[in-house]
Every structure is written in C-alpha cells, then in structure tokens.
Amino acid sequence: MKQHQQEEEETQNIVIFLNCFIPLDGKLQLCHLTVKDGIFENINVLFNNNKTNDDLEAGYDGNRDESRIDPPSFGTLSKTTQQQNDDSNTYHVTTFECAGNILCPGFIDIQINGAFGVDFSNPHLTPQQVLSVATQLPQYGVTHFCPTLVSSFADTYKILIHDILTPLCQLDQSQPPTNRSTVLGVHAEGPFFAPSKRGAHRMDCIKDQIQQHSIVTTYGLEDIKDVDYFYEECGIKIVTLAPELPGVEQYETIQTLKKHGIVVSMGHTNATLQEGIQAVQNGACLITHLFNAMRPFHHREPGLLGLLSMYPPSSQEQDKVNKRDRPPHELFYSIIADGLHSHPTTIQMAYNLSQNVILVTDGIAAMGLHDGEHSLGEEDVIVLNGKATIRGTDTLAGSVASMDSCIRSFQKFTNCSVYEAIKAATENPANVLGLGKELGMIKVGRRADFVILDQELKVRRTIIAGNVVYENN
C-alpha cells in the first residue's frame, strides 16, 4: 500500500503546448510551452523555415499571417505515459496543438461588483455564492479578481468584509485554488466620495469627509483599538476615494493605506489636477474608471485626466519635461471598455496619453445573465440591451460586459497591438496590486494560470495551475 502511494506521489504531469503565440518582450512570439505539475517549465521561441527571422521577430501585430505556421487543427494531439529508465518517476505527457492561437496570462479583474446573479454588496452574501462566481469567471478568461463593494453602511461592510470576503482571501492566499479563480482581495469602492460624483451609489451611504479613524469605523470595526491590525487583517486590497474631501488635506489617510499595502485609487471625485498631483505624491497610484464620475476635462482645469500627460511611456525627454511634478511611482488608470461608459474615441485619446491602462469590467450581478431586473447594493437596476441603469434614471450602474469582450473592444477602439490589449488585463493590474513578480506574465517558474485565445480574441481554454477549468470547442 505504501509503495503504491509513493508511486502516485512521484507521478509527474507534463503538458506541451505547440505553436502558440505568447506575449514576450513587447510582442507576441511563436513558441512551444511546457507545463510541469502546474508550473511553467520551459518556453521555446520558434523560428519558421518559411519566414525570415526578422519577420518572426516582428511578432504578431493583430494581422495574422497563416503562412507563418502550418500545424494540424486546434486541439489535443496525444496523451502518452512514459517511464523513466531508472523506474523512479512516471511521466504523464499530454501534447496540445495550439495551431497559432494565443496563449496568454490569465486575466485579472480588479473591479467587479458581482456576476451570474450574485451581488457582492448584498448583506446576505454567502461564501458559497462568491465561490460560485469564482468557478464561472474562467469562461471569460478571468483567473484572479477583486470582489468590489459599492458604498454601504458600516454593519453591511462588517458582514461582507470581515465575515465573508476576508476569510476567502486568506484561504486563497494560503492555498491557491486549482479549479477556480482566485480571490485577491476586496476593492472598497466608496463611500468617501464627492456627493455630486456618487454615480450609482446611494446618497445616504456617501461620506463627504474623511479622517484616519473613519476608515476603520466605516468598514465595520468600531471597537478596534489596534489600527495596524485592522489594516493587516481586513482583506481590503483597493480603496477608491475622492482625494479632495475635507480631512485629506494632509493626505495622511492615503499615506497610511499605502503603508499597509492597500492600493489607493482616486474616483467618484471632483478633484482638480493639483489635488490629484498631491494625492499621487502621497501614494495614490490608480484612477478608478477614468472619465466616469469625475470632474470633466476643461482646457483651464484638466482635472485628473491631466495626470495622464505626466505619465507617458518612460523616456529621457519626457522625464525632463515633467521632472518637477513627476510622482515617485507609476500611475495607472482603469477604464470600462464596453462602448457605453466612454466613447471609443475618448478611450483612444486616453490611451494616446498613457499606456498604463487597466481594463475592468465593473461587472454587476447581471453579468452572464439576460436583460431584466437586477440589483447593485441597495439599488434596483434595469438591464436593457446590455445597458445597466438605476431604475427610473439614465445613470449607468456598472456593466454586464465580460473581460474578454472588453479586451476585444479596447483593441478595436484604440487600434493598439493585441499584445498591449492583453497587457491591460494581465501585467498592468498585477503591477498596480504589487503582484507583478507572481502574476500577469508567462514566465518559467510561475504557476501555470493562463488562457488560450483564438484569432478573434475569444476564450478557447482557461487553465489554472495546469488544470483545464474551462474549454470551448
């Protein structure tokens, strides 16, 4: 019996993915990829005899040239079992033909309010409902996500953050799941907003002032004495707030959040450019859903949009231009590329200013469902023709667009490379969360969480820790 168990423990699973385009070094490159026991083991960049090295090094720019490769059709070629000569290890080897499709890191959604009928801001939320969403998100290529809470009351925050979501975050951190998406941490979107920019958030939940202690009391722990313990154990990964609110003049709150590894994002705000500069210099590193629920651009007061011009792609010339005001760290901005929240030309303009874009769905419970009546926190939502609005108003209430559809739309709106579109849903969100050394890129030694996309950037397979958790043939 012991001998049989030992043989099982020494069995190693190897999957070889042939002829796949992988985002590497700023472009998509044709490769063979080997995954061993759920870890990327080897990446072999190929050169095709039918094309010159220069042509292949140009990478895939979105206009696929089918003559570059001539493999069999997409699918599993073979499954074999090989016995090593010394009889000490058994290898189960599967060879998979990608047929020139794209193999990229799993998508990371840092702003999703719910999906598949589950509203993360519902005070009656259960762990099983969150896990249900985590199990279904891979169909959109999402392997990691931040459950997002809209502005709520303190007792609701206490239930959702401390009783439901934080334990799940801690569980996934200690034991990363192999059959579903990972819960990275809570995105607390609110309630510290400019009332005039609250969007779909309930007015009676909005707080228009902020002090150090109000963060702790607002998110549901009124009697806590050890503030450091709260920040370290609360499970919050991102806080979206309006930096111009009274009480933030000295920006101590932003500094404290940053000190404890919590991403500070500016959103639902009437902040001026100067107020945005001060916030970034004190630690804010993200703008939540650019253009939506923020001060509009004006030629004499650009607002937060002006920050993007301070963060063009790194170059010595640009560094000289803005050296005086350049913040000490990178600034990212998220955007909802569903064609409803922002006009395609507007998205293109933002991308021309800065490529530090992060695609988010801002998905609500109606994602993955049909049009009809749904909810967002305490608000009733109507979804009609894919557009979600607060009942009886024209106010947008999140989105029902999936992450893979946002990638396709973003690539179309901006005419950027496929590599850059994928980066906006993988590498960039990983970096803003401080997880760039673990997530967001295909690298040897990292866990094999990835997606196979077809030529139209639609999801064909989602693999988590080397396991196929979704497939569409």
Side-chain angles (χ1 to χ4, degrees):
M1 181 67 177
K2 290 184 178 179
Q3 182 179 359
H4 177 66
Q5 290 178 342
Q6 184 177 4
E7 289 177 355
E8 287 185 342
E9 292 173 354
E10 292 176 349
T11 299
Q12 299 181 350
N13 295 307
I14 297 175
V15 185
I16 301 172
F17 296 86
L18 303 176
N19 300 307
C20 50
F21 280 98
I22 296 178
L24 294 172
D25 301 325
K27 58 194 174 188
L28 295 187
Q29 301 195 51
L30 187 62
C31 303
H32 292 336
L33 175 71
T34 302
V35 174
K36 181 178 179 181
D37 291 335
I39 303 295
F40 294 122
E41 184 181 61
N42 183 58
I43 301 173
N44 181 23
V45 180
L46 304 178
F47 295 99
N48 189 281
N49 292 331
N50 296 329
K51 291 290 180 179
T52 66
N53 289 354
D54 289 340
D55 180 48
L56 285 170
E57 287 174 354
Y60 171 51
D61 59 3
N63 299 311
R64 184 177 302 280
D65 181 356
E66 296 295 350
S67 66
R68 290 182 177 177
I69 54 175
D70 186 23
S73 60
F74 179 80
T76 303
L77 286 181
S78 63
K79 292 183 179 180
T80 60
T81 300
Q82 300 176 352
Q83 185 77 27
Q84 190 169 325
N85 292 334
D86 59 9
D87 296 330
S88 61
N89 291 300
T90 300
Y91 297 92
H92 292 293
V93 181
T94 301
T95 303
F96 193 87
E97 177 56 64
C98 293
N101 286 302
I102 299 168
L103 190 154
C104 69
F107 305 146
I108 304 170
D109 194 349
I110 66 171
Q111 186 172 359
I112 175 171
N113 307 284
F116 310 109
V118 176
D119 179 4
F120 295 142
S121 296
N122 186 331
H124 302 294
L125 181 73
T126 66
Q128 291 73 25
Q129 289 177 317
V130 180
L131 295 178
S132 173
V133 174
T135 301
Q136 297 178 78
L137 282 177
Q139 67 184 275
Y140 301 137
V142 176
T143 58
H144 299 78
F145 69 107
C146 293
T148 303
L149 305 181
V150 298
S151 298
S152 304
F153 298 111
D155 56 349
T156 299
Y157 280 127
K158 184 174 182 178
I159 294 170
L160 297 177
I161 295 177
H162 305 285
D163 297 343
I164 305 298
L165 295 174
T166 293
L168 289 176
C169 297
Q170 294 172 339
L171 173 64
D172 284 6
Q173 186 174 11
S174 61
Q175 302 175 12
T178 59
N179 61 348
R180 60 170 174 82
S181 300
T182 296
V183 180
L184 290 175
V186 176
H187 180 166
E189 186 188 6
F192 302 100
F193 290 164
S196 63
K197 301 297 181 183
R198 64 184 177 89
H201 294 241
R202 278 183 55 160
M203 185 63 197
D204 54 354
C205 291
I206 300 301
K207 294 183 179 293
D208 59 2
Q209 295 189 29
I210 183 171
Q211 291 82 30
Q212 286 281 10
H213 71 276
S214 63
I215 289 285
V216 178
T217 58
T218 295
Y219 294 131
L221 291 181
E222 297 181 358
D223 56 348
I224 194 166
K225 296 180 180 179
D226 188 343
V227 175
D228 288 340
Y229 175 81
F230 162 76
Y231 282 118
E232 292 170 2
E233 300 295 328
C234 68
I236 295 178
K237 198 70 178 176
I238 306 171
V239 170
T240 291
L241 53 77
E244 77 278 9
L245 295 184
V248 188
E249 287 85 1
Q250 303 303 319
Y251 297 97
E252 294 179 359
T253 302
I254 294 177
Q255 294 174 5
T256 301
L257 291 167
K258 182 177 185 296
K259 170 187 173 184
H260 291 282
I262 297 174
V263 174
V264 178
S265 186
M266 299 170 285
H268 291 266
T269 172
N270 201 35
T272 64
L273 174 59
Q274 188 57 41
E275 288 167 332
I277 290 173
Q278 289 180 292
V280 174
Q281 290 178 338
N282 281 277
C285 60
L286 179 63
I287 302 173
T288 293
H289 47 52
L290 187 73
F291 298 119
N292 300 121
M294 59 177 275
R295 175 190 289 265
F297 175 83
H298 189 278
H299 59 282
R300 286 192 291 270
E301 177 46 68
L304 296 187
L305 183 63
L307 292 173
L308 271 60
S309 67
M310 300 174 64
Y311 265 94
S314 181
S315 69
Q316 292 183 352
E317 291 184 3
Q318 292 291 350
D319 286 344
K320 291 178 182 178
V321 171
N322 294 316
K323 185 175 182 180
R324 182 184 64 179
D325 292 327
R326 270 184 89 82
H329 52 267
E330 278 198 285
L331 175 68
F332 291 87
Y333 64 96
S334 69
I335 208 157
I336 309 167
D338 62 353
L340 297 171
H341 279 76
S342 296
H343 191 278
T345 300
T346 307
I347 294 176
Q348 183 181 40
M349 290 171 58
Y351 185 71
N352 290 340
L353 285 173
S354 170
Q355 286 75 57
N356 282 356
V357 58
I358 294 174
L359 295 179
V360 296
T361 61
D362 199 23
I364 62 172
M367 178 192 288
L369 304 179
H370 298 294
D371 286 358
E373 298 182 4
H374 301 277
S375 66
L376 177 62
E378 300 291 333
E379 297 283 11
D380 293 328
V381 174
I382 302 297
V383 178
L384 181 63
N385 297 324
K387 182 179 180 180
T389 56
I390 297 297
R391 180 190 291 275
T393 75
D394 292 327
T395 302
L396 291 174
S399 166
V400 295
S402 62
M403 180 58 80
D404 59 324
S405 70
C406 287
I407 293 173
R408 293 191 295 271
S409 296
F410 180 77
Q411 200 271 333
K412 177 182 178 181
F413 296 163
T414 63
N415 198 31
C416 69
S417 68
V418 172
Y419 174 93
E420 290 292 338
I422 291 173
K423 181 179 178 181
T426 55
E427 184 178 347
N428 286 353
N431 285 338
V432 82
L433 293 175
L435 299 174
K437 293 183 179 180
E438 305 170 30
L439 306 175
M441 298 179 71
I442 304 292
K443 282 193 172 184
V444 172
R446 293 192 179 187
R447 200 171 90 137
D449 298 337
F450 61 96
V451 182
I452 297 177
L453 304 174
D454 64 18
Q455 299 176 27
E456 296 178 349
L457 302 184
K458 294 182 179 180
V459 177
R460 298 293 296 273
R461 298 282 193 282
T462 300
I463 292 90
I464 294 177
N467 301 308
V468 177
V469 297
Y470 171 77
E471 56 184 326
N472 177 13
N473 293 319

